[in-house]
Amino acid sequence: MNVEDWFRTDRLPHIYCTGCGNGTVINCTLAAVTGMGWKQDDTVFVSGIGCSSRAPGYIETDSLHTTHGRALAFATGVKMAKPDLNVVVFTGDGDLAAIGGNHFIHACRRNVDMTVVCMNNQIYGMTGGQGSPTTPMGAQSTTTPYGSAEPTFDLAELAVAAGANYVARWTAYHVKELTRAITAGLQTPGLSFIEVVTQCPTNYGRRNKQRKVSEMVEHMRSHALLVEKKRRLEAEGRAIPEGMFTVGELVRRSRPAMGVRR
Amino acid sequence: MSKVEFMQGNTACAEGALAAGCRYFGGYPITPSTEVAEHMARKLPKVGGTFISMEDEIGSIASVIGAAWTGARAMTATSGPGFSLMMENIGYAVMTETPLVVVNIQRGGPSTGQPTRAAQGDMMQCRFGSHGDYSTIAITPNSVQEMFDLTAKAFNLADRYRVPVFLMSDEIIGHMREKIVIPDSVETVSRRPLGDGRLPFAADPDGIPGFAPFGTGRHVHVTGLTHNERGYPDTTDAEAHDVLVRRLMRKVESARREMADYEVTNPDAEFVFVTYGPPSRTVQQLMHDLPDENIGHLRLKVVWPFPEFALKEFADAKVFLMPELNMGQIAREVERHVDQKVVMLPKIGGELHTPAELAAALEAVR
Ligand SMILES: Cc1ncc(C[n+]2csc(CCOP(=O)(O)OP(=O)(O)O)c2C)c(N)n1
Ligand code: SF4
């Protein structure tokens, strides 16, 4: 089975802007799913609302494009009613952490056996670039014209704290690492959460001095700090450079999980 | 062998669901509906089903929709505030033609209102509460027996018409205890399977598409966006939207005679009570106390889609009297369909009308 077989070719062209990071994330996810040897007939993609959540519409499986923020609750019903199905969720930072915050922490707590891939472009993309719970402090958006003044959520840390069995964060630049992380997530029983920092040139980059996609990708590359390195710096009592975010595997464990195939 | 029991309405509702093959329940506790969830929590694991107490009612109905797409019969139960929270996803279930059952054990509102008192204040919300145009089915039991029978029936209607079906009960019926006969088995109607080569949202001649549960290889894309017959978004074409929404409404509205379920007493009467749910019991008491062929009674067990033809069964009616545990929600629907006078008899606060109150109302119009 090739990655191409998983695309609904009759739905192309897609709606994503040129340079959007979402396509990369879909490719990495499908590469991981293909690598697992999963069958299209047994795999369900679920999503909420947003650019990122349009992903299941381009994938040739049963798929559920739900309401804004509620993807994990829908997915919980699918998985718990039929544990034989492989369930993968695509969501955005707004979908997951703003309107869907409560479903997010409870899905992690229940540790329902599914894999959640969050495309974190740090903005509400589909509605035109409003500030989200992950918009960095000081960043420009249509609702933060003077720079965002709110502290942000660290989605991956939130998932760790709430109880997910596998948590990793990468970026759309780290294609190989991301694919490996998603694969590890698919293999891990319980809830796997993979946060992917992605570029949204249209609504984020343009307003935040990263006009070119290459600038956004370069920014992700140069500001990603491996979690092992961060821990080393901390142990040595050295400062973490300003503006860096951690990438890598944050947790892999076997807390009790729900919906695991018997 | 059927068995006779003495049971609470909410328990009977859960038993009716189990008998109908319900195997998924997602809910969140709220008075006066909680016993439905508690009974499901006890019983579902024993029959291989799944019970989840979700984080809220939005999650509850979302999970029920997800479960329904795996082919399971699925339901949730709630009361006013929780029902309000479900509205967005109820619209989603309508748009995606997802069969499921929502039990609303109504209580006094608005807002948190009267958690332990009965009301019928959500009758309009269950018909119009979600955004956009749609039509759906609401069933109103008036006894513990009907909590069982009509819950089972709700699943059949949901599967037949592929809509969310509302069991619009209330605190009185939910919490009362009565004798009930539990049959060995109940009649079940299955979802019609999606035909070979058929598109997942292409309607059959009756306006309803066949259903292909997840995991059966049909690769159905389900979206709440306006979609074409394949299920793909088609959000800017006026005609596509028009065709879809009209079909969703028509598949329910055109079957109103098939779905209608009501009781007619004294069809030649001039003074006709129209009821649904517990006020019907007061009318029954009144007619027992005051035998008079000139008093009629139309008791609705299915309120939506509204069976206006049932009103025509009272050819000599001069006045329709409508005792409701709200400010007159269904009375307005009756007014739309008759030339005769309609007298609203609203009562709120949690108490049923007394037979004396109804007798006085009758005197006043005679
Ligand atoms: C209940 C509800 N509120 C608001 C919206 C409008 N809305 C659509 S997409 C979106 C934000 C999407 O942001 P995100 O989840 O970060 O996804 P992105 O588009 O950036 O990929 C919002 C607010 C909606 N569809 N439903
Ligand atoms: S608005 Fe941003 S997230 Fe949405 S498709 Fe365009 S680039 Fe991607």
Side-chain angles (χ1 to χ4, degrees), chain A:
Chain A
M1 197 50 57
N2 299 316
V3 168
E4 296 76 52
D5 298 327
W6 287 74
F7 282 111
R8 283 188 191 273
T9 39
D10 60 343
R11 273 220 65 201
L12 299 175
H14 57 69
I15 60 159
Y16 294 135
C17 309
T18 309
C20 176
N22 291 354
T24 308
V25 184
I26 297 172
N27 274 331
C28 293
T29 308
L30 290 181
V33 166
T34 316
M36 293 288 290
W38 282 4
K39 299 209 168 57
Q40 280 162 292
D41 291 359
D42 305 332
T43 305
V44 178
F45 286 87
V46 184
S47 65
I49 297 289
C51 298
S52 34
S53 287
R54 286 298 186 99
Y58 302 112
I59 301 175
E60 181 66 38
T61 62
D62 291 318
S63 48
L64 201 54
H65 176 234
T66 69
T67 47
H68 190 37
R70 317 300 171 193
L72 293 178
F74 279 84
T76 298
V78 173
K79 185 67 189 180
M80 295 308 295
K82 200 162 183 195
D84 287 348
L85 296 171
N86 305 309
V87 178
V88 182
V89 178
F90 283 115
T91 179
D93 46 297
D95 194 60
L96 182 83
I99 190 164
N102 203 30
H103 305 303
F104 179 35
I105 56 178
H106 286 281
C108 291
R109 171 181 65 80
R110 291 189 184 105
N111 215 3
V112 183
D113 187 27
M114 54 194 183
T115 300
V116 181
V117 179
C118 175
M119 305 178 194
N120 178 3
N121 58 8
Q122 305 177 309
I123 204 87
Y124 293 129
M126 185 152 265
T127 39
Q130 299 79 24
S132 94
T134 57
T135 301
M137 283 185 90
Q140 298 285 320
S141 76
T142 58
T143 50
T144 58
Y146 309 111
S148 175
E150 292 181 8
T152 60
F153 262 146
D154 182 325
L155 303 181
E157 293 288 2
L158 193 57
V160 173
N165 261 355
Y166 179 87
V167 179
R169 173 165 46 219
W170 289 101
T171 79
Y173 164 80
H174 298 93
V175 175
K176 288 212 177 86
E177 295 88 339
L178 175 59
T179 307
R180 251 182 267 134
I182 298 173
T183 304
L186 299 174
Q187 287 165 342
T188 310
L191 195 138
S192 317
F193 178 67
I194 295 98
E195 178 184 347
V196 195
V197 180
T198 55
Q199 72 276 16
C200 167
T202 308
N203 282 315
Y204 188 85
R206 189 159 59 89
R207 294 195 179 88
N208 288 286
K209 302 204 185 81
Q210 295 171 19
R211 285 200 154 267
K212 290 207 245 135
V213 174
S214 54
E215 286 167 2
M216 296 198 80
V217 175
E218 172 53 27
H219 185 269
M220 292 190 300
R221 190 197 64 76
S222 58
H223 288 73
L225 177 66
L226 253 184
V227 59
E228 288 82 5
K229 184 165 179 198
K230 178 185 173 231
R231 287 176 188 147
R232 202 167 61 235
L233 289 174
E234 279 169 347
E236 292 166 2
R238 288 160 61 191
I240 312 282
E242 184 88 21
M244 302 289 277
F245 60 92
T246 48
V247 293
E249 187 175 300
L250 273 67
V251 84
R252 194 198 287 240
R253 59 191 168 190
S254 46
R255 279 184 69 246
M258 287 171 59
V260 181
R261 232 162 306 177
R262 280 152 285 201

Side-chain angles (χ1 to χ4, degrees), chain B residues 30-31 79-84 107-115 121-122 125:
Chain B
I30 183 167
T31 306
S79 189
F83 198 55
S84 295
R107 63 192 227 169
S111 191
T112 351
Q114 294 177 295
D122 309 346
Q125 191 187 17

Side-chain angles (χ1 to χ4, degrees), chain B residues 324-343:
Chain B
E324 296 182 79
L325 302 183
N326 57 43
M327 294 298 284
Q329 297 195 4
I330 302 300
R332 289 201 179 80
E333 186 67 20
V334 172
E335 268 176 343
R336 275 172 13 98
H337 298 293
V338 298
D339 298 324
Q340 296 96 323
K341 187 170 166 178
V342 175
V343 176

